[in-house]
């Protein structure tokens, strides 16, 4: 079973009274609470704008660049219509290094590209023309075959709450999608909602087949989401998008549990690229980002060709990411708590094999159970579904866990 790393929440001290405090736990937020331990998703942030460190024109061959991922220290992108090639880009100058033809499949409306360790995924799910496509799919390409004879299969889906498939006017549906990420457990779709200007999160398996995409939650982003990139080990997702006036932005989701964003930090940061239709976004470390924009012309006032931009979110995420490295136990031995969410057994992965005392608290600070680990395991079968805090001694570290 693949597992997801749990990162510690490091506090100056820990007590039952502290656990009873819920609120905003992000020091960068306007309403940060220094006594809050449980993040409830209430953080409010001041307006912020980031400027690109570089902007490079891209080849006219990819004037409809629509997705972006990291690839062998370079980038991969694609067009959103007809063209069935994936293009490898040089990060430094934006030049096309090579292309990978996928001749056995169609490009009806490719809107996003994502990856895991073994596969590249391409989302052929653009649905803004009439909002009634019944052939939405995500292609899956084996990485080890892409440069020779691509092995391709498909994940077909429909939305669990789309009941009306009558044709709509162009750009008049909430069942369009241009963004998704692939996690260790499945796929998360982030819709582009032309009517509500929100994004809904849908869950999908990442194995070939035909599925109903299950609605998980809806997030108010006040814009149109066009791309996504994820750092699963950091519990961080960055969405790209733009407003109706083509003001680009990045929408950050971080400090969440599993695939539940209801208590996560949510921060929108504008990008100083007016009238740029940003489409793809990628990152290697959660701090430095690349985005691409399609060619956009609105004569005689606007003529923005397709470009690759680089910018940093270090001022907004460095403290959060650095805090996740404080996972030490006795002589700086790291502890990893898996899996997340947890079923019946919780496992502690670390180099020291001795048993430890533990306590488990609910979000109100009530002690639920305590004991001593047994071969680095804790049985949590008796816990009801919900969020809990695990405290280990003697490290005094606290871990937020989700019981499923």
């Amino acid at each position: 079973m693949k597992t997801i790393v749990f990162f510690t929440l490091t506090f100056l001290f820990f007590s039952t009274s502290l656990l009873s405090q819920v609120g905003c736990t992000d020091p960068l937020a306007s309403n940060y609470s220094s006594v809050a331990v449980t993040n409830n998703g209430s953080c409010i942030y001041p307006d912020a704008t980031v400027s690109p460190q570089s902007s490079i024109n891209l080849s006219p061959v990819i004037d409809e660049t629509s997705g972006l991922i990291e690839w062998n220290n370079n980038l991969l992108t694609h067009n959103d219509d007809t063209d069935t090639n994936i293009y490898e880009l040089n990060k430094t100058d934006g030049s096309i290094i090579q292309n990978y033809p996928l001749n056995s499949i169609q490009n009806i409306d490719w809107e996003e590209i994502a990856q895991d360790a073994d596969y590249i995924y391409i989302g052929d799910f653009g649905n803004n023309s009439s909002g009634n496509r019944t052939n939405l799919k995500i292609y899956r390409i084996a990485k080890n075959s892409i440069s020779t004879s691509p092995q391709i299969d498909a994940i077909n889906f429909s939305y669990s709450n789309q009941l009306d498939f009558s044709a709509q006017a162009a750009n008049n549906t909430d069942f369009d999608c241009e963004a998704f990420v692939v996690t260790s457990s499945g796929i998360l779709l982030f819709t582009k909602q032309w009517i509500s200007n929100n994004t809904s999160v849908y869950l999908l398996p990442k194995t070939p087949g035909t599925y109903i995409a299950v609605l998980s939650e809806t997030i108010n982003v006040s814009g149109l989401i066009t791309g996504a990139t994820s750092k699963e080990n950091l519990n961080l997702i960055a969405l790209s998008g733009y407003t109706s006036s083509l003001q680009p932005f990045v929408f950050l989701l971080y400090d969440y549990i599993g695939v539940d964003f209801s208590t996560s930090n949510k921060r929108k940061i504008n990008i100083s690229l007016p009238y740029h239709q940003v489409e793809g976004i990628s990152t290697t470390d959660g701090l430095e980002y690349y985005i691409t924009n399609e060619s956009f012309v609105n004569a005689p006032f606007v003529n923005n060709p397709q470009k690759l931009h680089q910018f940093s979110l270090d001022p907004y995420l460095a403290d959060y990411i650095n805090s996740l490295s404080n996972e030490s136990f006795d002589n700086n031995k790291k502890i990893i708590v898996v899996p997340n969410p947890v079923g019946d057994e919780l496992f502690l992965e670390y180099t020291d094999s001795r048993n430890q005392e533990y306590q488990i608290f609910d979000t109100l600070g009530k002690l639920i159970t305590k004991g001593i680990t047994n071969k680095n395991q804790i049985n949590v079968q008796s816990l009801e579904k919900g969020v809990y805090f695990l405290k280990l001694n003697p490290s005094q570290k606290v871990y937020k866990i989700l019981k499923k």
Side-chain angles (χ1 to χ4, degrees), residues 179-192:
F180 74 101
V181 298
V182 181
T183 72
S184 58
S185 57
I187 291 173
L188 303 179
L189 303 173
F190 294 88
T191 58
K192 183 180 186 181

Side-chain angles (χ1 to χ4, degrees), residues 152-200:
I152 306 173
D153 47 36
I155 300 160
N156 304 284
F157 71 93
S158 57
Y159 297 106
S160 58
N161 58 333
Q162 184 175 13
L163 304 178
D164 183 2
F165 287 87
S166 58
Q168 307 296 316
N171 301 337
N172 192 40
T173 179
D174 279 349
F175 294 102
D176 189 18
C177 187
E178 295 192 7
F180 74 101
V181 298
V182 181
T183 72
S184 58
S185 57
I187 291 173
L188 303 179
L189 303 173
F190 294 88
T191 58
K192 183 180 186 181
Q193 298 190 340
W194 294 90
I195 299 173
S196 64
N197 268 224
N198 295 326
T199 187
S200 286

Side-chain angles (χ1 to χ4, degrees), residues 300-325:
F301 303 106
V302 180
N303 184 2
N304 288 323
Q306 60 282 353
K307 293 181 181 180
L308 172 68
H309 312 270
Q310 182 183 10
F311 61 93
S312 174
L313 293 182
D314 189 280
Y316 310 104
L317 290 172
D319 287 346
Y320 166 71
I321 291 175
N322 289 337
S323 73
L324 301 180
S325 65

Side-chain angles (χ1 to χ4, degrees), residues 176-248:
D176 189 18
C177 187
E178 295 192 7
F180 74 101
V181 298
V182 181
T183 72
S184 58
S185 57
I187 291 173
L188 303 179
L189 303 173
F190 294 88
T191 58
K192 183 180 186 181
Q193 298 190 340
W194 294 90
I195 299 173
S196 64
N197 268 224
N198 295 326
T199 187
S200 286
V201 185
Y202 291 84
L203 310 181
L204 268 179
K206 61 177 184 176
T207 52
T210 300
Y211 305 97
I212 302 295
V214 178
L215 176 63
S216 177
E217 61 188 288
T218 298
I219 302 170
N220 179 12
V221 294
S222 297
L224 301 171
I225 296 302
T226 60
T229 186
S230 171
K231 297 301 293 181
E232 188 171 4
N233 64 324
L234 302 178
N235 287 346
L236 167 66
I237 292 175
L239 306 174
S240 62
Y242 54 84
T243 66
S244 57
S245 60
L246 283 183
Q247 170 58 60

Side-chain angles (χ1 to χ4, degrees), residues 126-369:
N127 195 27
N128 65 309
S129 177
S130 55
N132 65 341
R133 279 186 65 178
T134 57
N135 57 350
L136 305 174
K137 65 185 61 182
I138 296 173
Y139 290 111
R140 193 181 73 159
I141 306 102
K143 284 184 173 180
N144 60 10
S145 71
I146 190 171
S147 60
T148 54
S149 179
Q151 300 173 16
I152 306 173
D153 47 36
I155 300 160
N156 304 284
F157 71 93
S158 57
Y159 297 106
S160 58
N161 58 333
Q162 184 175 13
L163 304 178
D164 183 2
F165 287 87
S166 58
Q168 307 296 316
N171 301 337
N172 192 40
T173 179
D174 279 349
F175 294 102
D176 189 18
C177 187
E178 295 192 7
F180 74 101
V181 298
V182 181
T183 72
S184 58
S185 57
I187 291 173
L188 303 179
L189 303 173
F190 294 88
T191 58
K192 183 180 186 181
Q193 298 190 340
W194 294 90
I195 299 173
S196 64
N197 268 224
N198 295 326
T199 187
S200 286
V201 185
Y202 291 84
L203 310 181
L204 268 179
K206 61 177 184 176
T207 52
T210 300
Y211 305 97
I212 302 295
V214 178
L215 176 63
S216 177
E217 61 188 288
T218 298
I219 302 170
N220 179 12
V221 294
S222 297
L224 301 171
I225 296 302
T226 60
T229 186
S230 171
K231 297 301 293 181
E232 188 171 4
N233 64 324
L234 302 178
N235 287 346
L236 167 66
I237 292 175
L239 306 174
S240 62
Y242 54 84
T243 66
S244 57
S245 60
L246 283 183
Q247 170 58 60
F249 62 83
V250 176
F251 195 94
L252 300 175
L253 300 167
Y254 57 103
D255 192 18
Y256 49 81
I257 300 176
V259 294
D260 178 13
F261 304 110
S262 61
T263 60
S264 71
N265 295 323
K266 305 173 183 69
R267 184 165 195 178
K268 187 176 184 179
I269 300 173
N270 289 324
I271 306 172
S272 57
L273 292 169
Y275 304 111
H276 281 67
Q277 188 174 326
V278 298
E279 292 287 339
I281 184 169
S282 72
T283 185
T284 54
D285 59 5
L287 296 175
E288 302 299 321
Y289 288 79
Y290 290 89
I291 58 170
T292 55
N293 68 271
E294 286 189 10
S295 171
F296 178 75
V297 178
N298 188 2
F301 303 106
V302 180
N303 184 2
N304 288 323
Q306 60 282 353
K307 293 181 181 180
L308 172 68
H309 312 270
Q310 182 183 10
F311 61 93
S312 174
L313 293 182
D314 189 280
Y316 310 104
L317 290 172
D319 287 346
Y320 166 71
I321 291 175
N322 289 337
S323 73
L324 301 180
S325 65
N326 297 322
E327 303 179 348
S328 58
F329 166 70
D330 193 18
N331 297 326
N332 295 318
K333 297 182 177 68
K334 289 187 176 181
I335 299 178
I336 299 174
V337 183
V338 293
N340 177 26
V342 61
D344 295 337
E345 294 288 339
L346 200 61
F347 297 88
L348 310 182
E349 296 181 357
Y350 57 98
T351 56
D352 196 321
S353 61
R354 62 180 166 167
N355 293 328
Q356 301 180 67
E357 294 181 357
Y358 69 87
Q359 296 171 297
I360 297 178
F361 298 83
D362 66 15
T363 56
L364 298 178
K366 179 182 178 182
L367 178 63
I368 303 301
T369 186

Side-chain angles (χ1 to χ4, degrees), residues 11 38-39 41 50 52 62 116-118 120 131 166 170 237 241 263-265 276 286 311 333 339 376 393:
F11 306 108
T38 305
N39 194 5
V50 63
I62 46 175
D116 60 15
D118 300 314
I120 292 172
S166 58
I237 292 175
T263 60
S264 71
N265 295 323
H276 281 67
F311 61 93
K333 297 182 177 68
N376 298 354
N393 291 318

